[in-house]
Amino acid sequence: IYHIPWIYTPVRNILAIWHQLTKTEIIELSKGSVMMRERSRVEDTIYAMQKAGPGSLQMKELLNTYYPIEIDASLSPEEKLPYMVTWWTKVHELLIQQRIRKDRLAQAVRESSAMLREGYRVFFDCLAEHRVPLLIFSAGVGDVLEEVIRQNDVFHPNVHIISNYMDFDHTGVLQAFKGQLIHSYNKRDGALSHATALRELHGRPNVLLLGDSLGDLNMADGVSEAQNILTVGFLNDQVEERKESYIKSFDIVLLKDETMDIPNAILRHIVSPEMASKVQRKK
């Protein structure tokens, strides 16, 4: 079972994708009475103005308000829960207001700076080769996440995403979000609501869980027959303030590590024990 830390999407990348999705054409500029010296410059200037608009400001205000609560080590998950619900509900409402178009999603992701962690291809391909289910729990937008993975050519049949998915109307415009709201501290409940994905784990006693939030630690609760669970935590910011709580919670903690080096090494050791033994003897 895996979470989103193998995809590197800092806030600037999420906002970049959002701006691309909300980028609209001004039909009136195509009228025969309109002349432009350099159309691309006009479009870029209007887009830059749009980026600085009220929607962007509101998104950043929400981030500045609620992200410190999400990572506050002094608060319990129960104390954080109502704030996370409020945060993600407001974000979804703001996105719906932008009338995002489904047919622009792929281009928006392509033009954004979102990227997968270094070593992602080895990780995805190895799991696919050995038919190991890869479950991704994300409090983000599932449509965007799928597109990022697809454009990197690693959306294999063993990949299952449990996230917030957009609901488009008959014209292809975002009108709502489907199903239960998934945020940082209810991914377990989100997992249990996707019984089909969890059924693939039947008879598999080993779980490798990757997360970048303390709320990710219960993602494996829906695996009924789990015997061996190894947890790996990615600690990305406020390292010194949160290091102690992460070390107490995760089996392995990676400090500001944006690669898949450690998960890949663990995976190689599990799927190829003979090869791993030879390497150890050489050392």
Side-chain angles (χ1 to χ4, degrees):
I1 296 182
Y2 298 93
H3 169 52
I4 194 61
W6 43 260
I7 177 174
Y8 178 54
T9 53
V11 174
R12 62 179 180 274
N13 288 337
I14 295 174
L15 288 175
I17 294 175
W18 176 62
H19 287 313
Q20 289 293 341
L21 284 171
T22 57
K23 185 177 180 180
T24 58
E25 296 178 1
I26 301 178
I27 299 175
E28 289 78 3
L29 291 178
S30 299
K31 294 175 62 176
S33 59
V34 177
M35 303 291 291
M36 285 180 280
R37 179 178 58 189
E38 188 177 346
R39 185 182 183 90
S40 61
R41 181 182 180 281
V42 172
E43 292 176 344
D44 289 344
T45 302
I46 293 175
Y47 178 42
M49 291 177 176
Q50 183 190 44
K51 286 178 65 176
S56 174
L57 179 60
Q58 291 177 51
M59 190 77 79
K60 290 178 181 177
E61 286 178 347
L62 289 174
L63 177 74
N64 294 335
T65 299
Y66 293 103
Y67 181 63
I69 297 175
E70 180 186 6
I71 65 174
D72 190 340
S74 67
L75 297 176
S76 69
E78 291 74 22
E79 291 173 309
K80 295 178 181 181
L81 185 59
Y83 294 102
M84 297 301 101
V85 172
T86 300
W87 183 13
W88 287 110
T89 299
K90 288 184 176 180
V91 167
H92 286 184
E93 290 174 350
L94 186 57
L95 290 174
I96 293 169
Q97 291 173 17
Q98 308 309 310
R99 298 183 58 79
I100 292 172
R101 294 175 54 111
K102 184 177 182 179
D103 58 3
R104 292 181 180 168
L105 180 61
Q107 181 180 357
V109 171
R110 195 175 300 113
E111 294 178 355
S112 76
S113 52
M115 65 185 74
L116 299 177
R117 288 177 178 271
E118 180 182 343
Y120 74 89
R121 188 172 299 280
V122 172
F123 188 74
F124 275 79
D125 290 350
C126 181
L127 291 175
E129 178 185 352
H130 292 275
R131 299 181 180 179
V132 177
L134 170 54
L135 273 64
I136 302 169
F137 299 77
S138 173
V141 180
D143 308 77
V144 172
L145 183 52
E146 279 194 15
E147 193 61 40
V148 171
I149 299 173
R150 187 174 291 108
Q151 290 187 16
N152 282 276
D153 299 320
V154 287
F155 206 131
H156 303 309
N158 65 316
V159 177
H160 303 278
I161 298 176
I162 298 172
S163 185
N164 300 297
Y165 278 87
M166 296 178 178
D167 186 13
F168 299 93
D169 64 20
H170 69 282
T171 65
V173 174
L174 175 63
Q175 63 176 354
F177 277 83
K178 301 176 182 178
Q180 174 188 356
L181 173 69
I182 297 178
H183 54 75
S184 303
Y185 285 89
N186 76 335
K187 291 175 183 175
R188 173 186 176 276
D189 297 333
L192 295 177
S193 66
H194 288 71
T196 302
L198 290 177
R199 276 199 294 270
E200 287 207 16
L201 304 181
H202 182 72
R204 294 177 179 271
N206 300 323
V207 175
L208 178 60
L209 186 151
L210 310 182
D212 61 0
S213 166
L214 295 178
D216 296 333
L217 287 164
N218 60 8
M219 290 189 297
D221 291 355
V223 184
S224 59
E225 301 175 26
Q227 297 176 14
N228 306 304
I229 299 178
L230 182 67
T231 60
V232 180
F234 289 80
L235 181 50
N236 304 317
D237 57 357
Q238 295 193 7
V239 173
E240 292 305 318
E241 296 89 338
R242 299 196 288 161
K243 183 165 60 176
E244 183 178 352
S245 62
Y246 269 59
I247 292 175
K248 288 181 179 179
S249 304
F250 287 95
D251 297 313
I252 301 172
V253 178
L254 306 179
L255 307 179
K256 291 189 175 182
D257 187 341
E258 297 172 2
T259 74
M260 291 299 293
D261 291 349
I262 299 304
N264 279 338
I266 295 172
L267 189 57
R268 283 196 303 270
H269 196 86
I270 294 173
V271 302
S272 304
E274 293 182 2
M275 181 181 299
S277 299
K278 291 179 180 179
V279 172
Q280 290 295 328
R281 286 198 294 271
K282 289 182 180 179
K283 290 182 179 181

